[in-house]
Amino acid sequence: MSLLELDRVGKSFGPNTAVEEFSLGVAKGEFISFLGPSGCGKTTTLQMIAGFLDPSQGAIRLEGKDLVAVPPAKRGLGIVFQSYALFPHMTAAENVAFGLEMRKVARNEREERVRSALTLVGLAGYEDRHPRRMSGGQQQRVALARALVIRPSVLLLDEPLSNLDARLREDMQIELRQIQRNLGTTTILVTHDQIEAMSLSDRIVVMSKGRIEQIGTPQEVYEQPASAFVAQFLGKTNEFAATVARTADQAKLVAGSWSAPAPVGVSGTVTVTVRPERISFGDAGLAGRITSRIFQGNHWLFQCDTECGPAIVIRQNDGQMQPEQGAAVHLVWQDADMSLRAAKAAA
């Protein structure tokens, strides 16, 4: 049984539908990310879980109990906002203790839990510091400690790392995942950052225009995208059309000089998706020519013109000779490294 269940949840604002038929079960201890561009409905969905918005339809249940009629403060959820929303006149310890005070936790227990929460997020010794005297990363840790100290059944994170610089954001991703694993807190993260979602999540819910495009593990949504949107939103990708050619004893996918055995049940024209890092240069395959090559430290990025249109190839900087700009090449990959979908789905 899921700890948290959303059953065909929807939200409309007048004639505009923000979220449509959203269904998801979240297991206890699971880390889920809602991933998508601005306006896709991910924050609206999080706000319905938190109780800040009422759904227009559907049900939200926590441990089998209906949440829709329960006020936000009584849902037992921890929330970290993008802006952190710390009280500027309170110290770090006072900010963290606020939720416990509202729940009338005894002073001795409150002080111990605040101390433990600040230690957990690496802020032992910062108890008396005010937010204005703390860095963005430290403020984010205080906000996280404040959400965790109440021991929430579900932790909701609304793009909490978006205000941090790239290096600190990466460090905080690692720390956040480690804290979540150690505590086993069920967590839902809203983000538009694909790397963040793939780094942190057990499963990712990819959203577009208020609808779920795909739900799966990071590996599933990256390597087996269910739609053109998912393939293009999660990192760089190559797509081209191939046709199934059948003979008396076999069926092949064919696109220019490239061919591969056609999976059972595939027919007509399909869209082939291959990630750039799965492609190598070989003696035979999809013919093309290098139009540019860019050195990016630990890898090279090649742009190619092929018989089937432009393609990107990413090769590790392993010290081996790399093709020069203008060189004729053949692009090759393993059958297991490509995904297929009906051509009409690419429209």
Side-chain angles (χ1 to χ4, degrees):
M1 181 178 178
S2 298
L3 175 71
L4 177 69
E5 183 180 6
L6 287 81
D7 183 11
R8 293 172 292 180
V9 172
K11 181 63 180 178
S12 297
F13 298 95
N16 300 314
T17 299
V19 178
E20 183 177 356
E21 294 284 327
F22 188 106
S23 293
L24 174 70
V26 182
K28 186 175 182 179
E30 193 172 21
F31 196 121
I32 296 282
S33 288
F34 296 168
L35 174 67
S38 297
C40 73
K42 56 187 186 293
T43 295
T44 299
T45 304
L46 194 81
Q47 290 178 338
M48 288 190 286
I49 297 170
F52 302 142
L53 290 174
D54 293 327
S56 303
Q57 66 177 61
I60 302 174
R61 292 182 284 269
L62 181 63
E63 296 183 300
K65 299 178 181 178
D66 182 19
L67 273 188
V68 173
V70 179
K74 296 186 179 297
R75 295 192 178 193
L77 308 177
I79 306 171
V80 179
F81 299 99
Q82 182 177 353
S83 62
Y84 312 144
L86 300 178
F87 298 112
H89 63 286
M90 292 184 179
T91 64
E94 289 168 343
N95 267 283
V96 175
F98 182 78
L100 299 177
E101 291 178 358
M102 294 300 99
R103 289 163 174 78
K104 302 187 185 304
V105 175
R107 181 176 179 177
N108 288 344
E109 181 184 351
R110 187 170 69 234
E111 291 176 349
E112 177 58 33
R113 286 169 65 173
V114 168
R115 234 183 344 261
S116 296
L118 287 172
T119 299
L120 178 69
V121 299
L123 287 180
Y126 287 77
E127 291 84 357
D128 297 328
R129 190 167 295 190
H130 286 81
R132 65 180 177 273
R133 295 181 54 229
M134 306 180 84
S135 67
Q138 290 168 339
Q139 292 180 41
Q140 193 270 348
R141 292 165 193 250
V142 174
L144 181 59
R146 183 178 61 184
L148 291 172
V149 77
I150 64 171
R151 298 170 183 169
S153 53
V154 180
L155 177 64
L156 305 178
L157 305 174
D158 187 7
E159 303 205 47
L161 308 182
S162 61
N163 292 330
L164 305 180
D165 62 58
R167 177 64 181 271
L168 182 56
R169 183 171 185 160
E170 184 176 319
D171 291 343
M172 284 305 304
Q173 287 172 6
I174 296 170
E175 291 190 26
L176 177 59
R177 185 52 165 153
Q178 184 175 353
I179 290 170
Q180 191 271 338
R181 284 186 182 276
N182 289 341
L183 294 179
T185 305
T186 306
T187 303
I188 297 176
L189 168 72
V190 162
T191 183
H192 63 271
D193 188 306
Q194 301 95 325
I195 300 301
E196 186 169 280
M198 288 191 286
S199 300
L200 294 171
S201 310
D202 296 310
R203 285 190 298 158
I204 298 173
V205 181
V206 186
M207 299 181 66
S208 174
K209 298 179 180 178
R211 297 183 63 88
I212 295 174
E213 290 277 339
Q214 186 173 357
I215 301 174
T217 66
Q219 293 85 356
E220 288 169 346
V221 296
Y222 184 79
E223 296 177 358
Q224 298 294 326
S227 68
F229 174 82
V230 177
Q232 294 160 7
F233 189 74
L234 270 80
K236 296 179 175 65
T237 193
N238 296 300
E239 293 189 337
F240 56 90
T243 302
V244 178
R246 297 187 180 278
T247 63
D249 57 348
Q250 64 178 339
K252 283 189 173 184
L253 292 169
V254 178
S257 55
W258 173 83
S259 66
V264 175
V266 174
S267 61
T269 301
V270 297
T271 298
V272 178
T273 299
V274 190
R275 296 292 182 183
E277 65 274 14
R278 301 295 189 181
I279 300 176
S280 299
F281 299 117
D283 297 328
L286 183 61
R289 187 172 297 276
I290 305 293
T291 57
S292 70
R293 68 174 197 166
I294 303 171
F295 180 64
Q296 297 187 326
N298 65 342
H299 67 268
W300 288 84
L301 186 148
F302 296 89
Q303 293 178 316
C304 310
D305 275 343
T306 77
E307 303 166 290
C308 299
I312 299 172
V313 179
I314 293 176
R315 291 286 88 206
Q316 290 299 308
N317 181 27
D318 56 6
Q320 301 297 315
M321 185 68 68
Q322 304 289 352
E324 297 286 346
Q325 184 169 328
V329 293
H330 287 91
L331 310 186
V332 297
W333 56 87
Q334 300 295 318
D335 294 348
D337 291 333
M338 65 181 180
S339 63
L340 309 176
R341 64 178 184 275
K344 63 180 180 179

